[in-house]
Amino acid sequence: MTSQAPEPRDLARWSSSLAAIARTGMGFTENLYERERYEEVLHIAADIKAAAAEMEEAAEIEREQDHFVQEWLENIGEGVPGYVTPKIAVGAVVGNDDGEILLVQRADSGIWLYPTGWADVGYSASEVAVKEVSEETGIECEPVSLISVIDGQRMGFSRFAMYMLLFHCRATGGELRTHPLETSDVGWFGPTSMPEATAGASWWGPTAFAAITGDPTPARFDPPRDNVWRT
């Protein structure tokens, strides 16, 4: 039986995982021999990352493999600060009294989505959700519940390790306005009037509107896989 060739998404995930293990190891070890071995792993991870880009027939690769390695090496901390973990993004499903959801159109891509942003140091996850909604839309809101904790790489909407924490929030005031840099449009939409270019609505839409209309489901998360490295 022939084994199926890995997808570019798998190669990208393997590359990120190997690089994270090596960078974490370099952050903890003081042994020169071990540092050399970890750096060799970084070179292998860079080869995998470049292969993934080539398989996707991406535009010309901007950086050679050694540039990937140099970038990783420059972001190594010592001890616990050097332990490489996924980035954290926070999203907010905001509903109003009419059962509509608050969406923004990203200025860089034209894609519509609920307000999102990277987790900021000094804020709790729910505080980030409230802050991002206010900054991107002008709407004030209060968190109600956690809808999901999703692995962005596993879902296929991130090329690097990233977790998305998605909150259900209730609008409490404010007026619609766009962010001068991040959003080109903002508005309220019902389940049958979503913009055509809404990202990922097929998987988060039903859960979001269920929460908005008062029929929430337990928080969603990615179940463990039988074979993490091959599925």
Side-chain angles (χ1 to χ4, degrees):
M1 179 182 298
T2 58
S3 60
Q4 184 176 359
E7 296 290 333
R9 182 187 304 174
D10 293 323
L11 291 176
R13 180 166 58 87
W14 298 341
S15 172
S16 295
S17 296
L18 281 175
I21 292 169
R23 290 163 60 199
T24 298
M26 294 178 75
F28 277 89
T29 187
E30 296 181 359
N31 184 289
L32 179 60
Y33 175 82
E34 290 181 351
R35 291 187 65 86
E36 290 177 348
R37 301 285 71 75
Y38 285 131
E39 188 167 343
E40 182 63 23
V41 173
L42 285 182
H43 283 279
I44 296 172
D47 289 342
I48 296 174
K49 185 173 183 178
E54 291 175 351
M55 287 179 63
E56 286 191 321
E57 298 180 351
E60 182 179 354
I61 300 174
E62 298 179 358
R63 295 170 294 185
E64 298 295 335
Q65 287 91 323
D66 58 340
H67 291 169
F68 290 138
V69 174
Q70 186 61 36
E71 179 180 288
W72 285 326
L73 288 173
E74 290 174 353
N75 288 278
I76 294 173
E78 295 184 1
V80 173
Y83 197 106
V84 180
T85 61
K87 289 185 66 66
I88 302 296
V90 179
V93 166
V94 182
N96 61 15
D97 292 337
D98 296 324
E100 298 172 316
I101 188 173
L102 180 63
L103 298 179
V104 300
Q105 186 177 40
R106 309 306 304 184
D108 53 356
S109 64
I111 295 296
W112 287 84
L113 189 62
Y114 43 76
T116 62
W118 294 120
D120 293 314
V121 174
Y123 294 83
S124 71
S126 65
E127 289 171 339
V128 172
V130 172
K131 181 171 71 73
E132 289 297 326
V133 171
S134 177
E135 291 176 352
E136 294 187 1
T137 72
I139 297 299
E140 304 301 322
C141 68
E142 60 180 5
V144 178
S145 62
L146 182 66
I147 293 179
S148 62
V149 180
I150 296 298
D151 183 336
Q153 262 191 326
R154 183 167 170 181
M155 290 294 293
F157 58 79
S158 172
R159 289 299 306 275
F160 53 86
M162 183 267 281
Y163 292 161
M164 165 69 77
L165 308 183
L166 185 58
F167 286 89
H168 167 219
C169 301
R170 181 184 299 112
T172 59
E175 297 182 359
L176 289 176
R177 59 168 172 73
T178 60
H179 187 281
L181 299 177
E182 298 180 7
T183 59
S184 56
D185 202 357
V186 59
W188 294 101
F189 300 90
T192 61
S193 62
M194 303 270 278
E196 183 175 348
T198 301
S202 60
W203 70 263
W204 58 259
T207 302
F209 280 105
I212 290 171
T213 57
D215 186 25
T217 57
R220 173 181 175 180
F221 60 91
D222 303 296
R225 291 164 289 187
D226 292 335
N227 190 331
V228 173
W229 294 108
R230 298 300 303 172
T231 58

